[in-house]
Amino acid sequence: MRAQSSATTPTGIAVTAPREHVRLGTVQAALGVVVFSLTFPATAWGLEGFGAWSLVAVRSVLAALIAGCCLWAASPRGRRGLVRRIALPDRGRLPGLAVVAGGVVIGFPLLSTLALTTSTTSHAAVVVGLLPLVTALVAALRTGVRPSRTFWAAALTGAAAVVAFTVQQSGGALTAADGYLFAALLVCAAGYAEGGRLARTMPGWQVIGWALVLCLPLSVPAAALALAYEPVRLTAHSVAGLLWVTVGSQFLGMVVWYRGMAAIGVPKASQLQLAQPLLTLVSSVLLLGDHLTVAALVTAVAVLVCIAVTQRSRS
């Protein structure tokens, strides 16, 4: 008999799901975290040749073109292989897609990129470590699901470790870059939570795909305007950074991330992101030559322990 595990619908009704499905969802969510962990180093590379506004706008346009091609390829075809029509999302899903677009297509990329113009990648990575807790809070408010006390205790402990590290690294005072990052957390959490909800009723790649396409009326003129005012200097690093944040962070990473959230639930999937600061710190050392401090390692270990606790607690 196939083993079952508990899952929760968007309405809060408990159902059972095969453990294999849950394990696959966990792997997909974890893969998304790995992809996202390289976003800040890749953005730092991109900023070597692009301005903040042009980098964000161009990545959005390019990712939307990729998503549009995928949506076109998946559309129904007639006998001669011609596309009969593009399967547009239902009107009832448009508000949710707008939240995803505002959070993960426009808001988080722009705010985090602006922060990285004055902040180090390592510092930004630790601040964004608060994202799992914020995502879980938004998801709880949105769906009505209430995780267990053990879950919240572990999540709050991990968040406290991140806050303590951030304050210690900044000398006790928050900077303008921290303001950008905290704002990025709020909009990204909303986009993650809403995207995870939508991914239960439509393929995850279509969630981010349509969100990207919906932003084209804004991203195309924004890209043209930004490129006209911000000088571009193409280098190996800037091109590689742009390609990663476009293909990986903006599209493929979101595809597996939303599929993972749909399988194991938004709160538990979001807690996997507690590992993202550690992964970003390591990649920053390897790719950017950043200095890894003892405090960063201690914080990373603390949040990894919190992951183990939250994954074992019941939603």
Side-chain angles (χ1 to χ4, degrees):
M1 185 174 182
R2 178 175 293 182
Q4 304 285 321
S5 63
S6 177
T8 309
T9 66
T11 57
I13 301 175
V15 296
T16 57
R19 290 190 183 279
E20 294 82 357
H21 182 64
V22 174
R23 280 196 290 265
L24 177 59
T26 302
V27 170
Q28 290 172 329
L31 181 58
V33 170
V34 173
V35 173
F36 297 150
S37 70
L38 293 171
T39 299
F40 284 174
T43 299
W45 273 9
L47 288 173
E48 293 180 12
F50 293 87
W53 293 88
S54 57
L55 179 62
V56 173
V58 170
R59 73 180 264 187
S60 179
V61 171
L62 294 178
L65 293 177
I66 296 173
C69 290
C70 292
L71 290 169
W72 177 84
S75 298
R77 280 170 164 70
R79 293 181 179 179
R80 297 182 179 181
L82 298 176
V83 175
R84 288 182 295 183
R85 65 182 181 83
I86 301 295
L88 299 175
D90 298 335
R91 288 187 177 181
R93 292 171 174 158
L94 291 179
L97 289 172
V99 173
V100 174
V104 303
V105 177
I106 297 176
F108 184 81
L110 178 59
L111 291 167
S112 61
T113 301
L114 289 173
L116 286 173
T117 59
T118 58
S119 174
T120 65
T121 302
S122 299
H123 181 81
V126 176
V127 175
V128 174
L130 289 173
L131 183 57
L133 177 60
V134 180
T135 301
L137 285 170
V138 173
L141 293 173
R142 180 68 179 84
T143 65
V145 176
R146 295 295 182 267
S148 67
R149 292 182 179 178
T150 302
F151 178 96
W152 283 118
L156 288 171
T157 300
V162 171
V163 171
F165 175 84
T166 304
V167 173
Q168 185 269 333
Q169 289 292 299
S170 61
L174 299 180
T175 65
D178 292 324
Y180 282 130
L181 290 170
F182 286 131
L185 290 177
L186 294 175
V187 296
C188 188
Y192 277 176
E194 195 64 21
R197 186 186 68 83
L198 289 173
R200 290 183 177 274
T201 58
M202 62 189 295
W205 71 271
Q206 290 187 15
V207 174
I208 186 59
W210 281 115
L212 286 163
V213 170
L214 288 174
C215 286
L216 274 174
L218 294 175
S219 59
V220 170
L225 185 62
L227 289 172
Y229 283 93
E230 292 180 339
V232 174
R233 184 172 60 89
L234 297 181
T235 64
H237 275 183
S238 64
V239 173
L242 173 63
L243 290 177
W244 183 264
V245 297
T246 297
V247 181
S249 306
Q250 193 74 84
F251 187 63
L252 295 180
M254 296 303 305
V255 170
V256 294
W257 175 242
Y258 280 144
R259 292 187 67 177
M261 282 199 295
I264 66 177
V266 175
K268 282 196 172 182
S270 69
Q271 295 311 301
L272 289 174
Q273 283 197 306
L274 284 171
Q276 189 168 320
L278 172 62
L279 296 174
T280 300
L281 288 171
V282 172
S283 61
S284 297
V285 171
L286 297 176
L287 299 176
L288 304 176
D290 284 1
H291 178 63
L292 187 59
T293 64
V294 175
L297 289 175
V298 171
T299 304
V301 171
V303 296
L304 285 175
V305 171
C306 293
I307 290 178
V309 176
T310 56
Q311 290 303 294
R312 289 180 179 274
S313 66
R314 287 189 174 185
S315 297

